[in-house]
Amino acid sequence: ALYHEMTARMPRWIRINSLRATRDEVLAWLAEHSYTQVETDGIGGVKEFAVSRHVQGLLAFHPKATSALLQTEMYRDNWIVMQDLASCFPAYILDPPADAQVVDATSAPGNKTSHLSAIMFAKSSRRIGQSEGKVVAFERDAVRYKTLVKRLAAVGALAKDGTTGNVVPERRDFLTTNPTDFGEVTHMLLDPSCSGSGIVNRLDFLKEDDDVDELEDTVAAETGETKLQRRLRQLGEFQLLMIRHAFKFPALRKVVYSTCSVHAQENESVVIRALHSEEADKFGWRLAPRSEVIPTWPVRGDPDACGEEKDVAENVIRCIPGGKGEGDKPHVEACNGFFVACFVKHAPTKRPLE
Ligand code: SAM
């Protein structure tokens, strides 16, 4: 019941898909159809929308506007993508240049992948074939891989589209990749399987099999752990392994790690363990400072989960499920529960010639 209430107070977010339309085209369409932009934090009616002050190209609508929006030609022609505010943070923070070589390690259903492609295309000269960069999108699950390819094609992100797209999907387990085969890759998105415990409004998330809130929280006699604790421990180990593997890519400079979980075991704890890993030490990985990780976003990491490492809490982002959805009107900062951390590595300084 609480989740239902929160969902009713969360705006429906749409992302302008720059692969198919410009911001001006979308705003003109909205004006022609009597939608008006409001400057307040609350969205009062079905014909109002607000612009995100945190992520460019994101518009917030009243949840009751959803069915009308889904019937528009703007939606049918993929000028817009229904994507939650929180789910737009990772690609926006990774912010690859137009000519970057990018890996999305865990891609399906592909909203963040196509967001990456759209960001790169918007930075290119916007002429056909001018986005020289590439996104290799891995997905290990066969069914989810099919969904990924279909979605990428629909929004114009597939490289074989021959026009705007630059994404090359590969059905592959990221952990089986050999980092040295990807010597050109500089940017990576890592949004691995998680408990999904932050998701209030599931519309733009494709449900995976495991769902922590469906686990009975009973204590296992052998270990003294509840099923929930065991699952979070296993997920944390898997997520750490994925980050440590990412750290080995030789030219990689930036990795954005995200989950839609509210549990510190999948978030701050994984980040702190990754920073203390052998790979972080060997290759010089650290967290990007707050100034590079949407500094305007007010909710940062949980300091209680960071022990002595208070700077970790400052540098990462959390979204509280339902956010500031108090009062009747959906608030422009309300979204699903989410976590984002951005790891960076400085290129080794070249020694002067002796
Ligand atoms: N980034 C996606 C989006 O925004 O649309 C959502 C990703 S979902 C949270 C995680 C995905 O990673 C799942 O589709 C899962 O099958 C895939 N996955 C998990 N482990 C993987 C691995 N080792 N290699 C490749 N894909 C993996």
Side-chain angles (χ1 to χ4, degrees):
L2 181 63
Y3 267 27
H4 186 74
E5 241 176 69
M6 281 195 236
T7 310
R9 286 201 311 253
M10 275 167 64
R12 282 307 279 144
W13 288 96
I14 67 164
R15 169 167 68 75
I16 297 168
N17 176 20
S18 62
L19 295 164
R20 294 279 195 224
T22 63
R23 178 190 163 91
D24 287 350
E25 284 169 332
V26 170
L27 293 182
W29 187 97
L30 288 167
E32 262 168 43
H33 292 80
S34 315
Y35 287 86
T36 51
Q37 185 177 335
V38 292
E39 301 300 333
T40 58
D41 282 346
I43 300 146
V46 291
K47 284 285 186 178
E48 286 183 4
F49 71 95
V51 172
S52 168
R53 62 178 82 103
H54 302 288
V55 178
Q56 264 169 33
L58 263 195
L59 311 177
F61 289 81
H62 197 283
K64 289 194 177 139
T66 312
S67 49
L69 285 169
L70 291 176
Q71 280 162 31
T72 60
E73 61 267 52
M74 197 170 58
Y75 177 73
R76 189 198 58 211
D77 295 344
N78 295 290
W79 282 21
I80 56 170
V81 173
M82 295 282 179
Q83 186 167 356
D84 190 49
L85 167 66
S87 154
C88 292
F89 282 165
Y92 191 69
I93 293 169
L94 190 64
D95 194 25
D99 60 354
Q101 298 298 316
V102 184
V103 160
D104 186 342
T106 50
S107 305
N111 275 343
K112 297 183 189 76
T113 324
S114 63
H115 190 193
L116 283 172
S117 184
I119 289 172
M120 294 167 81
F121 181 67
K123 288 184 195 174
S124 74
S125 54
R126 296 193 65 93
R127 271 181 281 128
I128 289 173
Q130 286 298 299
S131 178
E132 324 81 344
K134 186 170 89 175
V135 182
V136 176
F138 296 125
E139 172 54 51
R140 74 170 174 196
D141 180 272
V143 176
R144 293 173 68 89
Y145 177 78
K146 271 194 181 167
T147 311
L148 170 70
V149 177
K150 217 163 130 189
R151 276 304 292 155
L152 292 175
V155 298
L158 265 190
K160 75 171 183 191
D161 218 11
T163 51
T164 55
N166 68 345
V167 181
V168 180
E170 270 190 46
R171 198 194 142 205
R172 184 155 177 195
D173 184 333
F174 172 63
L175 290 173
T176 66
T177 55
N178 180 357
T180 55
D181 292 344
F182 297 85
E184 306 287 300
V185 171
T186 51
H187 292 69
M188 190 181 293
L189 207 73
L190 192 51
D191 182 44
S193 309
C194 73
S195 62
S197 54
I199 300 172
V200 180
N201 184 350
R202 242 187 222 288
L203 285 170
D204 59 272
F205 289 82
L206 190 69
K207 196 173 180 305
E208 290 185 69
D209 289 344
D210 297 309
D211 195 352
V212 161
D213 58 23
E214 283 167 11
L215 290 174
E216 276 174 57
D217 214 11
T218 49
V219 179
E222 326 79 70
T223 58
E225 271 182 326
T226 64
K227 282 188 184 170
L228 175 62
Q229 284 166 340
R230 179 161 172 267
R231 184 76 190 121
L232 293 177
R233 181 171 54 73
Q234 289 169 339
L235 283 166
E237 294 303 331
F238 159 73
Q239 292 150 348
L240 177 62
L241 203 64
M242 297 286 273
I243 301 176
R244 290 181 64 180
H245 189 65
F247 281 175
K248 294 180 195 157
F249 282 60
L252 201 61
R253 296 202 309 264
K254 200 170 177 186
V255 183
V256 172
Y257 170 76
S258 55
T259 74
C260 47
S261 163
V262 293
H263 292 99
Q265 292 98 315
E266 300 176 85
N267 299 332
E268 291 85 351
S269 305
V270 169
V271 166
I272 290 170
R273 289 167 72 201
L275 289 170
H276 287 280
S277 67
E278 211 181 302
E279 292 79 8
D281 183 45
K282 186 168 169 194
F283 303 116
W285 287 97
R286 57 183 180 77
L287 276 184
R290 176 176 179 150
S291 58
E292 293 169 22
V293 190
I294 313 189
T296 52
W297 185 254
V299 191
R300 313 307 292 191
D302 177 2
D304 293 342
C306 296
E308 300 293 297
E309 307 195 39
K310 297 297 175 213
D311 55 324
V312 170
E314 187 60 16
N315 295 338
V316 301
I317 281 185
R318 261 186 184 260
C319 303
I320 308 301
K324 294 189 176 177
E326 289 149 23
D328 291 338
K329 289 183 181 178
H331 191 283
V332 287
E333 280 176 7
C335 54
N336 285 292
F338 209 75
F339 175 87
V340 192
C342 177
F343 297 97
V344 285
K345 181 181 76 173
H346 281 309
T349 42
K350 287 199 181 106
R351 283 171 195 272
L353 289 174
E354 314 245 303

